[in-house]
Amino acid sequence: MSLDCHHCYGKEPAVNGIANGEAPPGTEGPEEPAGTEEGQETPAAPAETPEAPAAEEQAPVPVVVEEEEEHHELTGMFLEKPSDTVAIKGQDITFIAKVDSTTLVRKPVIKWLKGKWMDLGSKAGKHLQFKETIDKNTKVFTFEMKVVKVVPGDAGGYRCEVSAKDKCDSCSFEITVEEAETQGEEDILSAFKREGAGEDEGELDFSSLLKAVKKKKKAVPKVEETDVWALLKNAHPSEYEKIAFEYGITDLRGMLKRLKKMKESEEKTSDAFIKRLDSAYSVDKGKKIVLSVELVDPNAEIKWLRNGQEIKPSAKYIMERNGNIATLTINKCSLADDAAYECVVGTEKSFTEVFVKEPPVTITKLMDDYHVVVGERVEFEVEVSEEGANVMWFLEDKELVRTENSKYRFKKDGKRHWLIIQEATLEDIGMYHCYTNGGHTKGELEVEEKELQVLQSIADLTVKPAEQAMFKCEVSDEKVTGKWYKDGVEVQPSDRIKISHIGRFHRLTIDNVKPADAGDYTFVPDGYALSLAAKLNFLEIKVDYVPRQDPPKIHLDVAGNMVTQNTVIVVAGNKLRLDVEISGEPPPTVVWAKGDKVVDAKEGRVRVETRTGLSSFVIEGAERDDEANYSITVTNPAGEDKANLFIKIVDVPDPPEHVKCTGVGEDCATMTWEPPQFDGGVPLKGYLMERKKKGSSRWTKLNFDMYESTTYEAKRMIEGILYEMRVFAVNGVGISQPSLNSKPFMPIGPTSEPTKLTVHDVSDSTVHLRWLAPEKIGAGGLDGYIIEYCKEGDTEWQAANTEPVDKQNFVVRNMPTGEKMNFRVVAVNIAGRSPPALLGQPVTVREIMEHPKIRLPRFLRQKYIRQVGDTINLSIPFQGKPRPQATWLKDGKPVDDKKINVRNSNVDTILFIRSAEREHSGKYTLVLQIENMEDTASIDIRIVEKPGPPIAVKVTEVWGFNAALEWQPPKDDGNCEILGYLVQKADKKTNEWFTVYECNRRTNCSASELVMGNEYSFRVFSVNMCGPSEDPGVSKNTAKILKPSIGFTAPPYQEMDMNCAPLFTTPLVDRSVIQGYSAAMSCAVKAFPRPKIIWMKNNMLLGEDPKYLMMNNQGVLTLNIRKLGMFDGGKYICKAVNPLGEAAVECKLEIRPQPVLEKK
């Protein structure tokens, strides 16, 4: 049963506790799959599968050879390597690798691999976490890989690879997963669980038997385990019990069964396969993959299986045979093709697994931060690179999933994904993360308690009978509801009493006021410990009839609207109604005036309403222009009375102006603005600020409490991101419209300090400094460096350069000789100056005497050879202080400046010859001198060219088909050794030259295999390291190969008799063809004279039916039958007849019906 389970998943039985395709610790095993998507496990190692402790497979303690510890020596680039680990299922483990980067020119790059090909970098997420740190002092990089909640699928071999430009190193380690200790024994049948739910549901899952999960065993010295195992393999069966007793083995029977299986596996060979399938294959999604096996028998029938089901040929699956090579090609691989495959030949099988990798999904639109109040809706939105991709949402370290009672909703549309919180609470505060298999983004949610502001409170009212009373208030939140109370009792709406809520305004309207309506009215907003109160006064009118005349009198009582003496304040947009009582007999005449202009309109927005004893001044929808001094004048025959009023219109303020950014930091920005031109007639309470990322439509509130200043420092921003900002002004009436958006600004911080500041050179008046770029530059870039200095003990630093320098070195000049000076370097960018990099100690400005030393390159320490016409450019570095004097000599004499150019600098000297000639050859000497100290170096330069031609070339002897040649060396050897001679020949008929010897070292040779009757000329080229000579040396005489006379007598000719009776040299072959296809039957016949060919089917002659095409090509007879039907089957006969006889051959044709393709 165990073997069958292995076959189901393309694995071979385990040998010595090591599964096929794995390697023992410390060795590099065969290739493993390139990997699967996160959350998917390969069929051979499903996650969280119970262990199957079969009795036959349980091995005693000595068998666990692979758990031996290995002590790796620290070699290559690693200071510390990850080692083999035994992990408990469900716990976390961490692996650490350390790399020393002091000798590296680039930052090391690390890869964590499972097996050979599975790159774990793309699997970063909740289960696999990676971390990288650096010690700035020691330049040691520390790389960590953390496996969270280990599962059985994590077991196996791993590799850690580190590379830096042209250096690389790797190490291997293994993870062994053990089950946590449980009470009671496990039943082996529990391993054969079904995928899914119930007892009889789902498919059987045998994979738990394939994963060798180690059991905790008694502690036995590991050296003894290996020794005992070796003893059992080599010992005689009669000694097994003795060894078991000596080493304390209790399960000897189990060990012997395991030992027997190992020996059988070692001796097992394949009779069907020369080359099996690899243990695993990896392919990218959408690509093609080819599985190939090499068979012993090229005619053997094979089957290809996928997860145990036979694969039918199709456009996706193409099966081919080429000799003994059989291939299966899978086109356009998808995740459905990630499975186990088998190649079956007879009773033998070859297994493999194909792993399909999806391209990593990246995040193209990042999350925005949110700043909301309790109860508001929050929508985090991201956009990914692939449609239908899976994303994971986290709040801090907690994954957010969809449940019935969850407050989180998830939505996706193509590439866009949303996390929605309908009503935010204080518990939702935190950092939200969105992960894909190739990207990560985060956004912060800030939630604050709601604070309700009263923008307009309700006012006391005094009304007369049958008039209308209206209480109105305005709050800051449009969504807030509330209740109205009269003397503590909730007011219920009726035909006469109406309650309305429009936007931020709440109104209580009472029509046809009655004395019972008088009382204390209160508005209480729902959900807030707040109440607004006002009083309704009922005015009773009593008329006394006096027969005498009374002078007119104005009874001015507008307490509900009065703020100060004779001043009425009205909110813009509200209605103003001034009811003024008038007394006098006879009834006086009333005149209202705005300034000097009389207001007498009876209708319209501004009107006057007059009734007996009452005059009302009404303004509908008050405007700013309505603010003025108003007067009311009453007259009758008994006299006159006048009252003055000032109506003040208040409104929300205008928006603030000129919002701009005056300074930025790494994560902050300073904003300023100007107060609004019009404050609404009410003192400003403060300002509210909002910001957003450029291109986004989501504004984030920066404050909930009023901010009184016009300068604000916005914090918690992301460096390198463009932001915009706007400001609202707030007064007692309400909130203004937002200001114009500020110009986009970007938080940018200064760089970190430059690193590794050192003194490169010092002279009597200069100091040469060098340094490296800052480790952190940021989005502001780097504009350059400022170098500053001061004397030891001083605190005033002076700049050595007025403009920033781009290079990472600088020479500070005009330094006082002998003084001790301090130096520092500051990096500068748009955000300002970085912290300074200081030298550890002062520098004494004084020249240091150093002996001259020539650093002659290695290739110049031997003879330097160049060809005529080449350019010679020799750069010889040297050292010495003060600056040494360099002089060149050729053969003991100064070099000619007209022929040879020399350039000297502080650190090197250059010898330059534009076009080398033979005369430039010689011994060149460089003399480096400082006062009475000097150093010399010699260079031997040789200029070479092609040699001249050989001289006196002649043919000295001719014999048979051979000729002997001799010549003398050339007069000019090209200034180098002659390596050999190129010898060529040409016959007088064609005059074409052919090479006899490419490199003949002697000055003589013999040419063989000459053609008889031809006359030959010879030429010779001299060859040196530059090549053959331009001109050859041509022989003055020729070599003639004489032709002796030869007679030939032709034999008598006898004509051959070609007549023969028909004879079939190739017979017809039986055929089996699918219905609807065409078929061809061929045979070959030999006969003379040409025979007559007769084709018959079932002994019946085939006529001139166009269905049959009969051909005879040089004795090859072919019968083609088009579009076969079921009736075309039978026996076919081909007969050949001529006068000398006849012959016939026959075959059978079988017609098979077309197969019906199964739909997948």
Side-chain angles (χ1 to χ4, degrees):
M1 183 177 293
S2 175
L3 183 61
D4 292 340
C5 292
H6 284 291
H7 286 180
C8 289
Y9 288 90
K11 299 288 184 181
E12 295 184 359
V15 178
N16 196 13
I18 303 170
N20 184 32
E22 299 179 357
T27 62
E28 191 168 288
E31 299 179 0
E32 291 197 7
T36 58
E37 289 300 315
E38 185 175 353
Q40 295 179 344
E41 302 292 341
T42 61
E48 302 180 3
T49 304
E51 183 188 3
E56 293 182 0
E57 293 297 323
Q58 284 183 346
V61 174
V63 176
V64 190
V65 180
E66 60 186 39
E67 293 184 359
E68 292 183 4
E69 294 184 0
E70 291 193 355
H71 301 280
H72 299 283
E73 294 185 1
L74 298 180
T75 60
M77 301 171 63
F78 286 104
L79 292 179
E80 179 179 338
K81 298 182 179 181
S83 58
D84 297 348
T85 301
V86 177
I88 305 301
K89 177 182 173 182
Q91 296 185 358
D92 299 347
I93 56 174
T94 302
F95 296 93
I96 298 177
K98 293 186 179 181
V99 178
D100 186 3
S101 64
T102 54
T103 60
L104 304 179
V105 296
R106 289 187 181 178
K107 174 186 172 184
V109 178
I110 198 165
K111 280 188 178 181
W112 297 90
L113 305 172
K114 184 173 182 182
K116 275 195 174 181
W117 307 110
M118 185 190 294
D119 189 352
L120 301 179
S122 61
K123 309 299 179 186
K126 186 67 175 176
H127 186 58
L128 289 175
Q129 299 177 3
F130 302 93
K131 184 179 178 183
E132 171 185 333
T133 57
I134 181 175
D135 188 337
K136 296 182 180 179
N137 297 325
T138 61
K139 294 301 179 184
V140 173
F141 282 84
T142 302
F143 302 94
E144 296 183 8
M145 179 181 75
K146 182 177 181 182
V147 185
V148 180
K149 295 182 179 179
V150 176
V151 298
D154 295 325
Y158 290 76
R159 285 193 303 119
C160 174
E161 290 187 356
V162 64
S163 60
K165 200 175 181 181
D166 55 349
K167 294 184 178 181
C168 64
D169 196 3
S170 67
C171 65
S172 301
F173 60 97
E174 282 204 0
I175 299 178
T176 303
V177 181
E178 292 188 351
E179 290 282 353
E181 293 185 356
T182 57
Q183 295 181 354
E185 296 182 354
E186 297 182 1
D187 185 7
I188 187 172
L189 296 179
S190 64
F192 294 90
K193 67 183 182 70
R194 293 181 181 269
E195 296 176 347
E199 180 179 357
D200 298 324
E201 298 175 0
E203 298 178 357
L204 283 174
D205 182 9
F206 301 95
S207 58
S208 59
L209 295 181
L210 302 177
K211 202 67 185 177
V213 182
K214 279 69 179 178
K215 284 292 185 179
K216 288 189 176 180
K217 301 173 178 64
K218 297 180 179 179
V220 178
K222 296 183 179 180
V223 175
E224 295 185 8
E225 294 175 4
T226 304
D227 293 341
V228 173
W229 192 249
L231 287 173
L232 287 174
K233 292 179 66 176
N234 301 321
H236 190 273
S238 61
E239 299 178 357
Y240 287 164
E241 292 185 0
K242 179 181 177 181
I243 296 173
F245 178 79
E246 181 179 353
Y247 290 95
I249 298 174
T250 59
D251 188 9
L252 177 61
R253 186 174 182 181
M255 284 193 67
L256 295 179
K257 288 183 178 180
R258 188 67 172 268
L259 181 64
K260 181 179 180 181
K261 288 185 178 181
M262 286 181 56
K263 293 182 177 180
E264 290 177 354
S265 299
E266 291 173 356
E267 296 172 358
K268 184 178 179 180
T269 59
S270 175
D271 296 331
F273 296 97
I274 298 176
K275 180 182 178 183
R276 292 178 173 269
L277 294 169
D278 293 342
S279 60
Y281 293 85
S282 174
V283 63
D284 292 331
K285 181 180 178 182
K287 301 295 184 180
K288 178 179 73 173
I289 188 172
V290 179
L291 310 182
S292 176
V293 295
E294 187 174 355
L295 307 175
V296 175
D297 183 4
N299 298 321
E301 293 187 2
I302 67 171
K303 291 183 181 180
W304 292 92
L305 306 181
R306 176 179 174 273
N307 284 345
Q309 300 295 324
E310 185 175 356
I311 302 174
K312 302 296 184 181
S314 63
K316 183 176 183 64
Y317 298 100
I318 300 174
M319 304 173 188
E320 297 176 319
R321 294 284 294 271
N322 184 10
N324 59 350
I325 303 296
T327 60
L328 170 64
T329 303
I330 307 175
N331 293 316
K332 296 182 179 179
C333 291
S334 63
L335 293 181
D337 297 315
D338 190 298
Y341 291 81
E342 305 173 41
C343 179
V344 181
V345 180
T347 59
E348 292 201 35
K349 301 179 181 180
S350 177
F351 304 91
T352 189
E353 287 186 79
V354 173
F355 297 89
V356 181
K357 297 188 298 182
E358 274 193 297
V361 178
T362 59
I363 297 177
T364 57
K365 180 181 179 182
L366 304 179
M367 291 170 57
D368 291 329
D369 297 333
Y370 274 84
H371 195 151
V372 298
V373 297
V374 174
E376 286 190 349
R377 176 186 172 97
V378 178
E379 289 188 7
F380 286 109
E381 179 185 358
V382 298
E383 185 173 335
V384 297
S385 59
E386 295 289 339
E387 291 190 5
N390 291 325
V391 303
M392 301 175 65
W393 296 92
F394 287 83
L395 171 57
E396 302 297 347
D397 294 332
K398 178 183 177 183
E399 183 177 1
L400 305 179
V401 296
R402 185 194 304 272
T403 59
E404 294 183 359
N405 300 325
S406 175
K407 67 190 312 183
Y408 303 105
R409 290 182 51 224
F410 305 94
K411 175 184 174 184
K412 64 180 179 179
D413 181 12
K415 298 181 180 180
R416 302 170 67 190
H417 296 254
W418 290 269
L419 169 63
I420 302 174
I421 305 174
Q422 291 289 0
E423 296 183 357
T425 62
L426 295 178
E427 289 78 10
D428 298 324
I429 297 176
M431 187 68 70
Y432 287 76
H433 302 263
C434 179
Y435 291 93
T436 67
N437 63 355
H440 166 238
T441 181
K442 62 182 179 180
E444 186 177 11
L445 175 60
E446 296 181 356
V447 185
E448 296 198 11
E449 290 279 7
K450 291 192 292 187
E451 295 184 5
L452 189 67
Q453 297 180 355
V454 179
L455 305 180
Q456 179 182 354
S457 183
I458 57 178
D460 295 341
L461 296 178
T462 301
V463 295
K464 295 180 179 180
E467 291 186 345
Q468 183 188 74
M470 183 176 67
F471 292 102
K472 182 178 71 172
C473 64
E474 182 183 2
V475 294
S476 59
D477 192 346
E478 297 179 355
K479 299 180 181 180
V480 171
T481 60
K483 295 182 177 63
W484 291 90
Y485 296 88
K486 176 180 178 294
D487 298 329
V489 180
E490 184 178 354
V491 178
Q492 300 296 334
S494 63
D495 295 339
R496 193 171 61 87
I497 300 175
K498 297 179 179 60
I499 299 175
S500 64
H501 172 202
I502 301 175
R504 299 182 300 194
F505 293 93
H506 297 260
R507 291 182 176 85
L508 171 64
T509 305
I510 306 174
D511 296 329
N512 192 17
V513 175
K514 298 178 181 180
D517 295 328
D520 294 327
Y521 286 82
T522 305
F523 175 73
V524 179
D526 293 336
Y528 295 92
L530 177 69
S531 63
L532 307 177
K535 189 172 184 180
L536 176 63
N537 300 312
F538 183 79
L539 180 64
E540 294 188 38
I541 301 177
K542 297 181 180 180
V543 180
D544 296 330
Y545 294 95
V546 181
R548 60 186 178 84
Q549 292 184 345
D550 288 334
K553 185 172 180 61
I554 300 173
H555 302 277
L556 191 62
D557 183 12
V558 287
N561 293 325
M562 292 286 250
V563 177
T564 59
Q565 184 68 28
N566 294 347
T567 300
V568 180
I569 296 179
V570 183
V571 177
N574 288 359
K575 178 180 178 180
L576 171 66
R577 184 183 183 92
L578 293 177
D579 294 330
V580 181
E581 293 184 29
I582 301 170
S583 62
E585 189 66 29
T589 301
V590 180
V591 177
W592 287 87
K594 178 182 179 182
D596 297 333
K597 184 179 179 180
V598 176
V599 180
D600 54 1
K602 302 300 181 182
E603 295 180 354
R605 189 179 66 84
V606 181
R607 63 184 182 274
V608 176
E609 298 177 359
T610 303
R611 287 178 287 180
T612 303
L614 184 68
S615 179
S616 298
F617 182 74
V618 181
I619 300 178
E620 296 280 358
E623 299 176 354
R624 292 184 183 180
D625 294 339
D626 296 330
E627 183 174 315
N629 289 312
Y630 291 81
S631 64
I632 177 174
T633 305
V634 293
T635 58
N636 70 355
E640 178 182 294
D641 193 8
K642 184 176 182 181
N644 293 321
L645 297 172
F646 177 70
I647 297 179
K648 183 177 182 180
I649 308 298
V650 297
D651 196 358
V652 296
D654 289 344
E657 299 179 342
H658 305 114
V659 180
K660 60 184 178 180
C661 176
T662 59
V664 294
E666 183 177 354
D667 60 348
C668 61
T670 302
M671 308 299 299
T672 61
W673 59 89
E674 296 180 3
Q677 292 185 354
F678 176 64
D679 61 1
V682 181
L684 293 176
K685 291 185 177 181
Y687 301 92
L688 297 176
M689 286 74 70
E690 291 183 348
R691 73 160 185 245
K692 73 177 183 69
K693 297 176 183 178
K694 185 179 180 182
S696 173
S697 59
R698 176 67 63 180
W699 288 93
T700 301
K701 294 180 180 179
L702 299 182
N703 65 313
F704 288 92
D705 298 331
M706 292 298 107
Y707 187 78
E708 298 180 357
S709 175
T710 57
T711 301
Y712 181 78
E713 184 178 4
K715 298 181 179 180
R716 303 180 71 176
M717 293 189 284
I718 302 174
E719 184 179 9
I721 301 296
L722 285 173
Y723 289 90
E724 294 178 347
M725 193 166 174
R726 66 183 184 184
V727 184
F728 299 81
V730 182
N731 62 7
V733 178
I735 303 175
S736 71
Q737 293 294 317
S739 66
L740 296 177
N741 294 352
S742 66
K743 291 184 179 180
F745 61 90
M746 181 185 297
I748 297 174
T751 70
S752 60
E753 69 275 7
T755 59
K756 294 187 177 181
L757 176 62
T758 57
V759 177
H760 178 65
D761 194 10
V762 180
S763 69
D764 288 339
S765 61
T766 63
V767 177
H768 189 184
L769 303 175
R770 286 186 177 180
W771 60 90
L772 296 179
E775 293 184 353
K776 178 183 176 183
I777 295 180
L782 180 62
D783 295 338
Y785 303 92
I786 298 294
I787 296 86
E788 297 177 338
Y789 62 89
C790 72
K791 292 184 179 180
E792 185 181 16
D794 290 351
T795 58
E796 294 185 4
W797 292 88
Q798 299 181 18
N801 56 319
T802 56
E803 296 294 331
V805 296
D806 297 332
K807 297 181 179 179
Q808 296 175 0
N809 62 83
F810 189 80
V811 178
V812 184
R813 305 183 184 278
N814 301 323
M815 293 286 99
T817 304
E819 289 286 350
K820 290 186 177 182
M821 306 294 291
N822 289 317
F823 294 90
R824 69 182 185 184
V825 179
V826 178
V828 180
N829 67 359
I830 190 174
R833 294 161 55 99
S834 72
L838 294 167
L839 283 175
Q841 56 187 4
V843 179
T844 302
V845 183
R846 180 176 296 129
E847 184 77 57
I848 301 174
M849 182 69 71
E850 183 179 352
H851 286 266
K853 180 68 175 179
I854 299 175
R855 301 293 184 183
L856 190 65
R858 185 179 300 275
F859 71 94
L860 293 178
R861 297 176 186 176
Q862 54 190 0
K863 188 174 294 184
Y864 186 73
I865 301 175
R866 285 292 180 268
Q867 295 186 25
V868 173
D870 288 353
T871 299
I872 297 177
N873 189 1
L874 303 180
S875 177
I876 314 297
F878 57 75
Q879 62 187 38
K881 291 184 180 180
R883 176 178 176 176
Q885 182 179 359
T887 305
W888 284 91
L889 303 176
K890 179 179 181 292
D891 298 330
K893 298 180 181 179
V895 297
D896 189 354
D897 295 340
K898 296 180 180 180
K899 299 180 180 179
I900 301 175
N901 298 318
V902 176
R903 184 190 65 81
N904 297 326
S905 69
N906 292 334
V907 294
D908 65 358
T909 178
I910 296 177
L911 178 71
F912 178 75
I913 302 175
R914 186 176 301 278
S915 180
E917 300 293 343
R918 292 272 291 274
E919 61 182 353
H920 292 141
S921 300
K923 183 176 182 181
Y924 289 78
T925 303
L926 172 62
V927 180
L928 199 65
Q929 188 171 4
I930 300 177
E931 296 179 359
N932 59 348
M933 299 179 293
E934 70 174 25
D935 189 15
T936 61
S938 298
I939 304 172
D940 189 2
I941 298 178
R942 178 181 294 184
I943 310 300
V944 299
E945 62 180 345
K946 292 183 178 180
I951 57 177
V953 180
K954 61 182 178 179
V955 178
T956 59
E957 185 180 358
V958 178
W959 72 99
F961 302 100
N962 308 300
L965 301 176
E966 286 185 358
W967 61 88
Q968 294 181 7
K971 295 180 179 179
D972 182 9
D973 60 0
N975 204 20
C976 62
E977 180 186 0
I978 298 295
L979 301 178
Y981 300 91
L982 173 63
V983 182
Q984 293 181 338
K985 67 180 179 180
D987 63 80
K988 291 295 185 178
K989 295 179 181 179
T990 61
N991 285 328
E992 293 183 5
W993 293 96
F994 298 93
T995 300
V996 179
Y997 295 100
E998 289 188 351
C999 186
N1000 186 71
R1001 295 188 175 277
R1002 298 190 299 270
T1003 56
N1004 56 76
C1005 70
S1006 60
S1008 59
E1009 297 183 0
L1010 303 179
V1011 179
M1012 184 181 298
N1014 288 353
E1015 183 179 358
Y1016 290 90
S1017 295
F1018 297 89
R1019 66 181 184 183
V1020 182
F1021 294 85
S1022 303
V1023 180
N1024 65 2
M1025 63 181 299
C1026 298
S1029 59
E1030 297 290 345
D1031 300 322
V1034 182
S1035 61
K1036 297 181 179 180
N1037 54 345
T1038 60
K1040 295 181 181 180
I1041 309 302
L1042 301 178
K1043 182 193 312 182
S1045 59
I1046 299 175
F1048 174 71
T1049 303
Y1053 174 72
Q1054 183 178 358
E1055 185 176 356
M1056 184 178 180
D1057 184 8
M1058 302 297 292
N1059 294 328
C1060 71
L1063 174 64
F1064 283 91
T1065 58
T1066 301
L1068 292 174
V1069 180
D1070 293 344
R1071 297 291 307 276
S1072 178
V1073 185
I1074 298 176
Q1075 178 186 355
Y1077 287 79
S1078 297
M1081 294 179 286
S1082 299
C1083 60
V1085 66
K1086 178 176 71 173
F1088 190 82
R1090 181 170 181 171
K1092 179 181 179 181
I1093 306 302
I1094 301 173
W1095 287 91
M1096 292 181 289
K1097 172 190 172 187
N1098 296 333
N1099 295 324
M1100 300 293 291
L1101 291 175
L1102 298 179
E1104 298 298 330
D1105 190 343
K1107 182 181 184 72
Y1108 302 100
L1109 177 61
M1110 308 169 194
M1111 294 184 292
N1112 183 352
N1113 183 14
Q1114 300 294 329
V1116 177
L1117 310 179
T1118 304
L1119 174 63
N1120 287 316
I1121 309 175
R1122 299 176 60 252
K1123 295 185 178 179
L1124 291 169
M1126 296 301 295
F1127 55 85
D1128 287 323
K1131 181 173 71 173
Y1132 285 80
I1133 301 173
C1134 180
K1135 182 182 292 186
V1137 181
N1138 73 353
L1140 300 179
E1142 65 179 32
V1145 291
E1146 64 180 34
C1147 70
K1148 290 183 180 181
L1149 177 61
E1150 178 188 355
I1151 308 301
R1152 291 179 290 146
Q1154 288 187 350
V1156 180
L1157 297 178
E1158 296 180 1
K1159 294 185 179 179
K1160 293 186 179 180

